[in-house]
Amino acid sequence: LFKKSRILFGLNYCRRRIAKDRKAIIVEGQIDALRLIYEGLNIVVAGQGTAFGEGHVKELVNLGVNEVFLALDSDPPGQEAAFKIGNLFQKEGIETKVVNMPKGHDPDSLLREKGIQGFIEIVKNSHDYVTFMVQHQSKFLNVNTPAGKSELVHALSKQIRDWPDSVMVHESLKKLAHLL
């Protein structure tokens, strides 16, 4: 049976390389994954749209992944998915980076416009997940006021404290304090 929550599109092409390099690039769509794999970037998988869940994370953790790059669409649903998916990986102690996709782009359109080297450059300039958390959640709060900043700090520190890995929690809280 096809189970959306268990299928990582493109894993059949990239399993060996992901296990060897211990890193993966996560994209939203099948076309994004196929185009990147076709261009030779064979550490890419897609989670069937924004429905990426714990089953997908476990599949990559079982391959020994210790670093992921979330190259999701720049639209609001893609950014919301990056916030959710990043949290799932951080809970597992996986170094998570969020690719700062240019406005109006997804990996496929970016690849067509800038080529594979342009895409790789953008991946290299990814933000760590805690920095992304602050940027993403700041869009919904007025962080120029003490009350808004306090709300942001409380919400993000609560999320970080829910991660089971104590080192990940400690270092992420230090990063959060530095950013704010």
Side-chain angles (χ1 to χ4, degrees):
L1 289 174
F2 175 77
K3 289 192 174 190
K4 194 175 182 179
S5 64
R6 303 266 334 246
I7 303 295
L8 280 170
F9 185 84
L11 188 60
N12 57 322
Y13 298 111
C14 302
R15 179 183 300 276
R16 284 191 184 117
R17 183 70 183 267
I18 288 172
K20 181 181 179 214
D21 290 357
R22 301 185 68 202
K23 66 174 108 179
I25 297 174
I26 313 295
V27 296
E28 276 183 55
Q30 297 170 347
I31 298 299
D32 297 327
L34 285 174
R35 293 259 311 150
L36 289 165
I37 292 166
Y38 178 78
E39 292 292 331
L41 197 59
N42 53 357
I43 59 168
V44 179
V45 292
Q48 311 299 311
T50 59
F52 198 96
E54 290 180 7
H56 297 112
V57 172
K58 293 287 183 204
E59 184 78 30
L60 291 170
V61 167
N62 290 340
L63 288 175
V65 168
N66 62 10
E67 183 178 33
V68 295
F69 296 86
L70 304 178
L72 305 179
D73 298 0
S74 63
D75 61 7
Q79 295 303 290
E80 215 31 65
F83 187 75
K84 178 191 139 218
I85 295 166
N87 190 57
L88 294 173
F89 279 108
Q90 291 286 120
K91 279 182 179 178
E92 295 294 327
I94 306 296
E95 180 67 33
T96 306
K97 299 194 175 161
V98 181
V99 178
N100 190 18
M101 201 65 63
K103 194 158 187 74
H105 282 287
D106 63 11
D108 177 44
S109 65
L110 188 65
L111 192 62
R112 282 185 274 131
E113 186 177 299
K114 302 215 183 241
I116 191 67
Q117 288 306 320
F119 181 81
I120 290 170
E121 265 316 297
I122 288 176
V123 169
K124 285 181 182 175
N125 294 319
S126 300
H127 295 297
D128 64 90
Y129 182 69
V130 175
T131 300
F132 172 77
M133 286 172 69
V134 170
Q135 291 172 347
H136 180 70
Q137 292 301 97
S138 293
K139 295 175 190 171
F140 308 109
L141 299 167
N142 182 1
V143 294
N144 295 322
T145 67
K149 193 176 232 182
S150 176
E151 187 177 349
L152 179 67
V153 168
H154 287 295
L156 295 181
S157 62
K158 181 186 179 324
Q159 179 179 339
I160 291 169
R161 284 189 189 101
D162 286 342
W163 299 340
D165 186 307
S166 59
V167 174
M168 198 71 141
V169 169
H170 178 75
E171 292 300 317
S172 296
L173 287 173
K174 277 180 27 182
K175 176 79 176 185
L176 181 63
H178 174 74
L179 290 170
L180 295 173

